[in-house]
Amino acid sequence: QSFTDVQARSLTGGVVYIYRADMPEFEDIIYTKADGVATVSMNRPWVLNAFRPRTIDEMLEAFHDAWYDDGIGVVVLTGEKSNFCTGGDQKIRGQGGYNDESGTPRLQVRNLHRTIREIPKPVIAKVDGYSIGGGHVLHVICDLTIASDRAIFGQTGPKVGSFDAGFGAMYLARIVGEKKAREIWYLCDQYSAEEARDMGLVNKVVPREQLDEETALWCRKILAKSPTAIRFMKAGFNADTDHGYGLQALAHGATSLFYTSDEATEGRTAFLEKRQPDFAKYRRTP
Ligand code: S0N
């Protein structure tokens, strides 16, 4: 038997399985499957679920498992302890990006974005608390977002020395419009769940105590539909922005190069030192 039964985490009261088969035990995520729904929950609460390379690797494993499990029709992406995700873990960010356990900068965010888009099943972001930076891009890329009334959304890249000029720019602009997307990235403000809903970034806002049940309801509604119809609708929606894959590769490559600069280092260092960054000397015309 590949799975271990636990009763605790079902959205709907059914049996939950924590996946443990043929892979190292997950450290950074909690992966559960129940009632046709796979749930990937980021679990690094001491950094508000910021991710490191291992977190992304584990999420990729979980998404691939859900992809090939015919019993699964919907994936829910969420975070533990009342936050969704705050992007890359600035505490392990080195000169060339986010270091893995061997000290090599290697964050497979590009593959994760592609996997969330490509998996032929809807992915629902269930957002409580912060969805910030690279953690904001994750919810943007998900098919649907259901938020609690205490969720907070926003980008931080230009403040902390990073950016996502791939789907984090283009697809965000498709959702909220060009002006609003530019505002979100240029100002790095934070937005309430209601504001996010009003700009089309969130499908539904519910009181925090109803977040699980509302998400389960949406899952049940999707699971009752034709999986083939849903799968091709997802492909059809994706087709409009599939041309962004090359752009995404270039944009993420640019981010990796940017990480090696003094300018990007100033952003990261300022965050870690809890002070405002000083970027003035880096203003120049290319
Ligand atoms: C979320 C914020 C606004 C919360 O502020 P608040 O409420 O004042 O709490 P804090 O005291 O700041 O936070 C509590 C503790 O959590 C730590 N922490 C929070 N976020 C992070 C983080 N991302 N990394 C490391 N630690 C984090 C705090 O430091 C604090 O710990 P202590 O008590 O020990 O000080 C606020 O925390 C905030 O703004 N956080 C930073 C958000 C951020 O800038 N994230 C990174 C953004 N960039 C990316 O994600 C890029 C990475 C990426 O995915 C990518 C995308 C495209 C192309 C390439 C890449 C790539 O990098 O490969």
Side-chain angles (χ1 to χ4, degrees):
Q1 187 55 286
S2 321
F3 298 99
T4 305
D5 285 15
V6 290
Q7 299 290 341
R9 297 182 47 83
S10 173
L11 292 174
T12 57
V15 173
V16 180
Y17 302 96
I18 292 185
Y19 193 68
R20 297 191 191 284
D22 304 326
M23 63 177 76
E25 213 160 289
F26 291 139
E27 269 183 34
D28 288 11
I29 66 168
I30 296 174
Y31 180 53
T32 54
K33 301 197 279 188
D35 309 324
V37 180
T39 300
V40 180
S41 188
M42 295 167 275
N43 186 26
R44 306 185 74 232
W46 57 94
V47 282
L48 314 184
N49 299 327
F51 49 70
R52 59 176 177 161
R54 186 187 180 108
T55 323
I56 302 292
D57 291 348
E58 292 184 0
M59 289 164 81
L60 283 166
E61 293 267 11
F63 269 94
H64 285 136
D65 174 77
W67 188 319
Y68 292 112
D69 186 336
D70 292 340
I72 296 299
V74 184
V75 182
V76 172
L77 179 60
T78 192
E80 291 298 303
K81 303 269 165 50
S82 305
N83 283 292
F84 184 71
C85 175
T86 57
D89 183 341
Q90 302 299 324
K91 288 170 181 161
I92 51 105
R93 185 176 137 193
Q95 232 4 60
Y98 299 88
N99 291 324
D100 67 13
E101 282 130 323
S102 73
T104 308
R106 189 189 52 81
L107 193 70
Q108 296 293 320
V109 166
R110 181 160 65 99
N111 287 339
L112 181 62
H113 290 181
R114 291 178 176 210
T115 300
I116 293 171
R117 282 175 64 88
E118 294 298 318
I119 185 172
K121 309 173 185 194
V123 181
I124 301 178
K126 183 177 73 166
V127 180
D128 190 22
Y130 285 118
S131 172
I132 292 282
H136 187 257
V137 178
L138 288 183
H139 107 85
V140 167
I141 288 172
C142 289
D143 294 271
L144 301 164
T145 298
I146 304 177
S148 84
D149 53 7
R150 61 178 289 283
I152 297 171
F153 299 86
Q155 297 297 158
T156 54
K159 222 164 45 183
V160 300
S162 69
F163 55 83
D164 184 348
F167 288 111
M170 174 192 50
Y171 190 49
L172 179 69
R174 276 283 206 278
I175 295 170
V176 301
E178 283 282 350
K179 294 280 186 186
K180 201 71 194 177
R182 286 166 201 248
E183 174 194 311
I184 289 169
W185 273 99
Y186 298 170
L187 274 58
C188 298
D189 281 345
Q190 294 178 1
Y191 301 87
S192 70
E194 286 75 16
E195 288 171 315
R197 182 197 52 212
D198 291 348
M199 63 174 106
L201 197 52
V202 159
N203 295 87
K204 181 138 190 184
V205 180
V206 294
R208 184 188 187 189
E209 57 279 9
Q210 290 170 23
L211 185 59
D212 285 351
E213 187 46 45
E214 186 68 23
T215 307
L217 178 66
W218 284 52
C219 290
R220 284 198 297 275
K221 286 183 176 178
I222 292 169
L223 288 165
K225 307 298 183 298
S226 152
T228 305
I230 298 286
R231 173 178 144 205
F232 282 111
M233 286 311 299
K234 175 162 180 168
F237 288 122
N238 281 352
D240 185 42
T241 45
D242 274 347
H243 63 86
Y245 281 116
L247 170 67
Q248 183 212 29
L250 290 168
H252 285 212
T255 312
S256 295
L257 289 174
F258 183 51
Y259 286 147
T260 64
S261 71
D262 289 346
E263 183 178 351
T265 303
E266 165 61 10
R268 180 209 60 192
T269 308
F271 172 75
L272 293 178
E273 293 176 353
K274 300 184 188 293
R275 63 169 171 82
Q276 290 301 314
D278 179 5
F279 291 124
K281 69 177 172 191
Y282 302 108
R283 192 162 295 113
R284 56 182 170 249
T285 307

